[in-house]
């Protein structure tokens, strides 16, 4: 069976990137964070389509997205963002470095800078490239860890002391993901990783020339493969997931 190209698994709603690592922490400790069932349910509902696509929800660069960024007016999250010339140039550069859709690259850049409390840059220097790459890799793992947390919950859904009322929201989301193609997306993504068929898993010559980035890439590739293997095991181990 042919492996789908990145982006073919994701719906149009996956253009909005969830704060995946923050969502993972919410799944792991919703009660201690004071999240109600409704609040967690809302977070999961907003992120479900993206999680269902797994790493395939991070789309490849496209002429349409590039043209949108270059126009200086980006539609994202129900809002229209205005980009000046330097921000457009940095966004296109980030997209090229990460092999990531231009609009998604813009959203990722904004979130990375917001976390650092930094202003929008005028160029993509080595320091910013490292920060954005680290942030992107962290969020990719966050997406997989969210899926892993939902699957782990399916193994322990009898433990009300651990999840309480929030368990119902997690169960509902997992059922939604499985019904919308999580099995195929996860297995196809894992197989593509193992065969080295994903562009984002291949280090560029510039990456290999950087000790920091080459080590980061190697670690990321192994971690993504490991978490996907665990997810696949959990998915097939639990008969309640009803995978084909």
């Amino acid at each position: 069976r042919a492996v789908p190209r990145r982006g073919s698994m994701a719906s149009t709603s996956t253009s909005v990137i969830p704060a995946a690592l923050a969502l993972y922490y919410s799944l792991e400790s919703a009660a201690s964070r004071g999240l109600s069932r409704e609040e967690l349910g809302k977070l999961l509902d907003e992120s479900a389509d993206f999680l269902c696509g797994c790493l395939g929800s991070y789309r490849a660069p496209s002429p349409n997205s590039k043209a949108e960024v270059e126009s200086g007016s980006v539609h994202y999250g129900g809002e229209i963002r205005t980009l000046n010339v330097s921000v457009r140039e940095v966004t296109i550069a980030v997209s090229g470095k990460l092999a990531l859709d231009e609009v998604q690259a813009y959203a990722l850049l904004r979130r990375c800078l917001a976390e650092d409390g930094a202003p929008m840059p005028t160029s993509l220097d080595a320091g910013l490239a490292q920060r954005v790459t680290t942030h992107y890799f962290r969020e990719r793992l966050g997406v997989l860890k969210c899926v892993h947390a939902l699957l782990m919950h399916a193994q322990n859904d009898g433990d009300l002391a651990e999840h309480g009322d929030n368990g119902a929201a997690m169960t509902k989301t997992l059922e939604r993901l499985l019904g919308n193609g999580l099995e195929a997306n996860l297995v196809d993504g894992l197989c593509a990783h193992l065969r080295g068929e994903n562009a984002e898993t291949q280090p560029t010559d510039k990456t290999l020339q950087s000790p920091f980035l080459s080590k980061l890439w190697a670690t990321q590739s192994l971690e993504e493969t490991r978490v996907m293997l665990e997810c696949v095991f959990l998915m097939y181990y639990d008969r309640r997931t009803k995978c084909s």
Side-chain angles (χ1 to χ4, degrees):
R1 182 158 59 100
V3 176
R5 291 182 61 83
R6 185 166 57 136
S8 62
M9 299 179 291
S11 70
T12 55
S13 62
T14 59
S15 59
V16 178
I17 303 176
L21 192 62
L23 176 59
Y24 168 68
Y25 290 145
S26 294
L27 291 174
E28 288 292 281
S29 56
S32 63
R33 287 171 173 252
L35 287 178
S36 67
R37 174 180 174 178
E38 291 73 21
E39 289 170 327
L40 182 61
K42 184 175 184 295
L43 286 174
L44 286 170
D45 186 62
E46 293 171 346
S47 306
D49 288 342
F50 200 98
L51 296 181
C52 185
C54 301
L55 297 183
S57 291
Y58 291 105
R59 303 194 303 257
S62 71
N64 288 343
S65 289
K66 184 176 182 180
E68 185 173 354
V69 168
E70 290 178 335
S71 75
S73 181
V74 169
H75 296 259
Y76 184 80
E79 299 180 4
I80 298 178
R81 311 275 186 174
T82 301
L83 286 63
N84 62 32
V85 175
S86 60
V87 172
R88 296 176 219 168
E89 292 175 349
V90 173
T91 298
I92 297 298
V94 168
S95 170
K97 180 168 287 293
L98 301 181
L100 181 66
D101 174 88
E102 289 81 359
V103 174
Q104 290 187 335
Y106 170 70
L108 195 81
L109 175 64
R110 281 180 57 94
R111 187 171 292 156
C112 176
L113 294 170
E115 285 189 4
D116 293 343
M120 272 292 182
T122 57
S123 63
L124 181 65
D125 58 24
L128 179 57
Q130 288 189 7
R131 285 157 53 203
V132 173
T133 301
T134 301
H135 180 88
Y136 176 48
F137 282 0
R138 184 197 78 185
E139 289 299 293
R140 285 171 61 90
L141 271 179
V143 167
L144 296 176
K145 287 181 177 180
C146 285
V147 175
H148 187 276
L150 292 171
L151 290 165
M152 280 295 294
H153 166 69
Q155 305 294 317
N156 305 305
D157 61 3
D159 189 352
L160 296 178
E162 181 179 356
H163 295 292
D165 290 341
N166 290 315
M170 296 171 70
T171 299
K172 179 181 178 181
T173 300
L174 178 59
E175 291 174 350
R176 173 178 169 182
L177 266 57
L178 289 167
N180 289 341
L182 175 65
E183 177 188 5
N185 295 343
L186 190 55
V187 172
D188 287 340
L190 173 60
C191 291
H193 248 57
L194 293 173
R195 289 194 292 256
E197 294 176 353
N198 286 337
E200 72 277 8
T201 65
Q202 301 303 310
T204 63
D205 291 339
K206 288 185 178 180
T207 295
L208 293 175
Q209 291 170 6
S210 165
F212 173 83
L213 291 177
S214 60
K215 180 180 179 179
L216 185 65
W217 169 83
T219 302
Q220 180 74 14
S221 183
L222 286 172
E223 278 295 293
E224 289 181 359
T225 302
R226 179 187 66 80
V227 178
M228 281 192 284
L229 281 168
E230 290 184 3
C231 287
V232 169
F233 171 79
L234 289 169
M235 186 170 58
Y236 289 124
Y237 180 76
D238 188 348
R239 295 178 182 178
R240 288 168 296 180
T241 58
K242 299 179 181 179
C243 296
S244 61

